[in-house]
Each structure stands twice: as C-alpha cells, then as structure tokens.
Amino acid sequence: MVLQIFGDSISGNCLKVKWTADLLGIPYRWIEIDILKGESRTPDFLAMNPAGQVPVVRLSDNRTIGQSNAIILHLAEGSRLIPSNAFDRAKMMEWLFWEQYSHEPYIAVARFQVRYLKRPLVELDAQLVERGNAALALLELATQKAPFLVGDQINLADISLVAYTRMAHHGGFILTQYPSVLRWVRKIEDVLNLGVAD
Ligand SMILES: N[C@@H](CCC(=O)N[C@@H](CS)C(=O)NCC(=O)O)C(=O)O
C-alpha cells in the first residue's frame, strides 16, 4: 500500500508533508480531511491519531505517525533534506523545535482566527501579534546572514518554517516589513515549485 497522507489543504502543517514528499519523489495518496467540518475528530480518525489533528501519515505497514515535523523527519531520513553533518543536523532540529514553540503558535493561530474564524484583525490578541512579529524579526536576522536557514542548501528547516511564514499576511502580519524573510520565502517557494501564496 502506498503511503497515505491525511491532511487538510488549508493547513501549513499538512502542506509541509506534501512538499517534502513531492520534493523527494515519494509516491503517496492524499486523503483530504476537512478540519472545519470536524473530520479529524471522528472515531475512525481518532483511532489513527488520538490527538485529533492533521497531518497524519499511514505507512505501507499500517503504522501511523502524527506531528508534521516528526513526519517530515521520517520521510526525509537519509536524504539531502537532512544534513549529514551532526552540527548542521542539530541546527536544523533547533529550527524545527523553534517553529513549533515560538512561530507556529502565533503566525498560524493568527491566520486561522482571521481567515477561517473571520475574527476582525483588531480583535486579535495583542500577545499573538507581538510574538508573531518577534518570530518574524528573528527570521529576518537569520535570513540576512545566509540564503538558507542552515548550510548552503534547502533542508527541512526551510520547508517547515516557510509553511506558515508565506501565509503570515493572512493573519495580518506585514511581510514587506521583513524584506530578507520575503526574499527567502520566494526562494524556497521556487525550489518547491509553489506559486506565491494568495
Ligand atoms: N503540532 C502539530 C499541530 C497540528 C495541528 O494543529 N493541526 C491542526 C491543523 S493545522 C488540526 O488538525 N486542527 C484540528 C483540530 O484540532 O481539531 C503538527 O505540527 O502537526
């Protein structure tokens, strides 16, 4: 059985998995799960991932993995998307953990509230906006120093971080205030063969 990716196409966490599989030429079947309709909370879905969240992948032997960054690490095992050098690999992991703790909870949550829950921008929690901007400021410094987040070629850190950064404007963040970030986003979109996010 081919790899199955259970994901919602509106979710950056799910798109990370798709882009990693696409870039590595890994065959898969995409199973669309509409989180807004509660499809990640059905008994069948919860049996696969008790956290009730996408993305989830089902491997050919039926085992499942949740958590976007765990999934992309598994898919990219042994590939050019994970540095072979131990230090660079640790730096890549540093970005992956940072993305989940200090970036996604602000940038992705602001986007979800504005774009999908239709919350007016002015009603966004100030801390969400402040911390989202802090994350973008940190990325701005990093992308001023080097073309990729780690080393001289794309790796999972770029894929993971670009997912919600390229959609940050959906949550009211102004990416033109972060010109290096914007340049980096366009470059990674180019490598991944994505258009510019609407
Ligand atoms: N840390 C998780 C976050 C997953 C997550 O928040 N998934 C959201 C979509 S982006 C979801 O499934 N939400 C539906 C729900 O919680 O019911 C990851 O990186 O995969």
Side-chain angles (χ1 to χ4, degrees):
M1 185 177 65
V2 73
L3 174 78
Q4 294 180 319
I5 303 176
F6 296 82
D8 188 321
S9 308
I10 68 168
S11 153
N13 283 321
C14 297
L15 292 172
K16 288 174 200 175
V17 175
K18 178 183 187 321
W19 299 334
T20 302
D22 286 342
L23 199 56
L24 293 174
I26 298 171
Y28 61 87
R29 186 158 77 87
W30 178 271
I31 295 131
E32 187 72 18
I33 299 292
D34 189 334
I35 55 172
L36 297 174
K37 290 191 181 144
E39 289 176 5
S40 62
R41 300 283 166 164
T42 65
D44 279 355
F45 192 92
L46 291 172
M48 200 165 53
N49 181 12
Q53 291 181 325
V54 284
V56 176
V57 293
R58 197 199 292 278
L59 308 179
S60 56
D61 60 7
N62 265 329
R63 290 180 299 172
T64 56
I65 311 173
Q67 292 293 331
S68 57
N69 288 345
I71 296 170
I72 61 177
L73 278 162
H74 181 73
L75 296 185
E77 179 85 22
S79 80
R80 66 193 162 90
L81 296 181
I82 299 180
S84 51
N85 170 287
F87 180 79
D88 283 355
R89 198 161 57 245
K91 294 306 281 183
M92 180 196 78
M93 298 296 283
E94 184 181 323
W95 280 115
L96 295 182
F97 288 117
W98 180 79
E99 188 260 351
Q100 286 287 294
Y101 193 74
S102 304
H103 180 285
E104 193 258 16
Y106 308 113
I107 307 280
V109 171
R111 169 184 182 252
F112 189 74
Q113 293 188 1
V114 173
R115 188 123 181 167
Y116 298 101
L117 302 183
K118 307 290 180 205
R119 177 167 294 184
L121 272 182
V122 289
E123 286 180 18
L124 274 184
D125 180 32
Q127 202 181 56
L128 210 57
V129 177
E130 188 192 317
R131 294 193 176 174
N133 276 304
L136 292 171
L138 191 150
L139 269 182
E140 177 71 7
L141 285 179
T143 51
Q144 277 168 2
K145 287 191 203 136
F148 297 98
L149 293 178
V150 182
D152 55 7
Q153 61 175 44
I154 189 169
N155 70 35
L156 294 182
D158 300 288
I159 296 177
S160 184
L161 261 312
V162 88
Y164 285 107
T165 305
R166 69 192 287 266
M167 304 168 180
H169 56 287
H170 295 171
F173 298 99
I174 302 168
L175 273 181
T176 48
Q177 290 176 350
Y178 304 96
S180 287
V181 172
L182 203 49
R183 263 196 307 278
W184 165 81
V185 164
R186 295 290 173 260
K187 188 170 51 237
I188 304 303
E189 285 174 340
D190 199 45
V191 177
L192 296 175
N193 271 318
L194 309 175
V196 172
D198 63 349

